[in-house]
Amino acid sequence: MYKTRARAQTHFPSVLLTLISIIQALALELMWSKIVESDFLWSWGIQSLLGWGMISACFLGILQLWVMYSTMVMGFVWQPFLRDSILPFIIGIQEFMLISLVGSEFSVMWLYVLGSIFVSANWVTHNSLRRARSNDENAQFFVTVKPAGLKDFAPTIALVLTLVLFGLLIEFTDEREWLPLAAILFANIVLLLGLIAMRRLWSSLMGLTENRSADEDESE
C-alpha cells in the first residue's frame, strides 16, 4: 500500500496538470468563439464595454486557476484524494457557464457563477494545503505559516458577499449599465490582485524572495 501511495503521489501532479491544461484550453476556445460570434462586442457602447469587461474577467479567471493548480502541484508535495481528479471538471463547468453568460444583455447570474468559482477555488486550495502541511517535505514553508483560521477566510467571504450584493442591487434597481460596470470592474481588480498574490507565493516557494533579499544585502 505504501508503494501505491508513493506512486500516486509521484505521478498525480503531471496527471492533474494535464487535465487542467485540457480544461483551460477548452475554456479559452469557448471564450474565443464568444468573442468572434458576438457582434455587440465590436460596436462602441456601454454594452460593448460590459462585454469586454466580462471577457477580461473570464480570461483572468482562467489564468488564476491555471496558476493556482500549477503552483499547488509544483510547489508542494501532498497526498492526492480521488476527489482531486473530479473537482477540476466541476470548476471547468463553472468556467464554461461563466463564459456562456457573456451576452449583449447583462445577467446577474454571471456574478453569482463567478462567486461560486471563488468558493470552489478557495476550498480546493485550503484542502490541498492542509494535506501539504502534514508532509515533512513542505516543512520549510509551513514553519512560518500558521494553520488557517476563520479570519483567513474573511477576504474570500467578503468577496463572494460583495458579488452577491452587486447582483441583488442590480436586480432590485433594474440598473443594467453603470452598476454592472462597477461590479465587473471590481471583479477584474480582484482577479488581478489574486494573480499578484500568486506571484508572491511562487517567489516564496522558489526561494526567489530570499535570493533577492540576499542580493540587496550584498549590494549594500
Side-chain angles (χ1 to χ4, degrees):
M1 295 301 294
Y2 174 78
K3 291 182 179 180
T4 302
R5 288 196 299 269
R7 186 165 59 249
Q9 190 167 293
T10 300
H11 296 291
F12 185 76
S14 60
V15 173
L16 183 59
L17 278 185
T18 301
L19 176 60
I20 290 297
S21 64
I22 293 173
I23 293 175
Q24 300 308 79
L26 291 173
L28 285 172
E29 182 179 359
L30 180 60
M31 188 183 72
W32 180 253
S33 298
K34 176 67 70 172
I35 294 174
V36 172
E37 297 170 0
S38 300
D39 295 334
F40 73 93
L41 292 174
W42 307 101
S43 56
W44 175 253
I46 187 65
Q47 300 304 325
S48 173
L49 194 59
L50 291 172
W52 282 112
M54 288 187 283
I55 290 292
S56 173
C58 290
F59 180 66
L60 289 175
I62 292 172
L63 291 180
Q64 176 93 355
L65 289 168
W66 168 253
V67 171
M68 180 193 79
Y69 269 105
S70 58
T71 301
M72 287 297 304
V73 300
M74 289 189 284
F76 299 98
V77 178
W78 39 281
Q79 186 64 48
F81 291 163
L82 181 61
R83 65 171 181 245
D84 293 316
S85 61
I86 298 175
L87 288 171
F89 291 99
I90 297 175
I91 295 178
I93 292 173
Q94 290 175 304
E95 284 183 297
F96 301 155
M97 289 177 61
L98 188 71
I99 297 171
S100 65
L101 286 169
V102 176
S104 57
E105 297 294 331
F106 179 79
S107 172
V108 294
M109 282 300 300
W110 188 87
L111 294 174
Y112 300 151
V113 172
L114 180 61
S116 72
I117 293 177
F118 278 112
V119 172
S120 298
N122 187 265
W123 190 84
V124 168
T125 303
H126 172 67
N127 277 272
S128 300
L129 288 177
R130 187 172 59 183
R131 277 173 280 159
R133 178 181 288 276
S134 63
N135 194 302
D136 294 337
E137 295 188 43
N138 307 308
Q140 185 176 359
F141 175 83
F142 287 105
V143 69
T144 57
V145 179
K146 296 181 180 179
L150 183 59
K151 65 178 181 179
D152 296 298
F153 297 99
T156 302
I157 295 173
L159 169 59
V160 174
L161 289 178
T162 301
L163 292 174
V164 172
L165 180 60
F166 266 122
L168 293 176
L169 285 174
I170 293 170
E171 288 186 302
F172 181 75
T173 62
D174 202 29
E175 209 292 311
R176 300 284 169 167
E177 293 185 353
W178 300 111
L179 196 53
L181 185 61
I184 292 171
L185 180 61
F186 170 76
N188 275 273
I189 292 174
V190 168
L191 288 166
L192 189 58
L193 291 176
L195 284 173
I196 294 174
M198 293 302 297
R199 177 179 178 272
R200 292 174 180 170
L201 175 60
W202 180 265
S203 297
S204 176
L205 288 171
M206 297 297 109
L208 300 179
T209 304
E210 292 80 354
N211 293 338
R212 190 179 299 113
S213 299
D215 292 339
E216 291 176 354
D217 293 338
E218 291 178 2
S219 62
E220 293 175 357

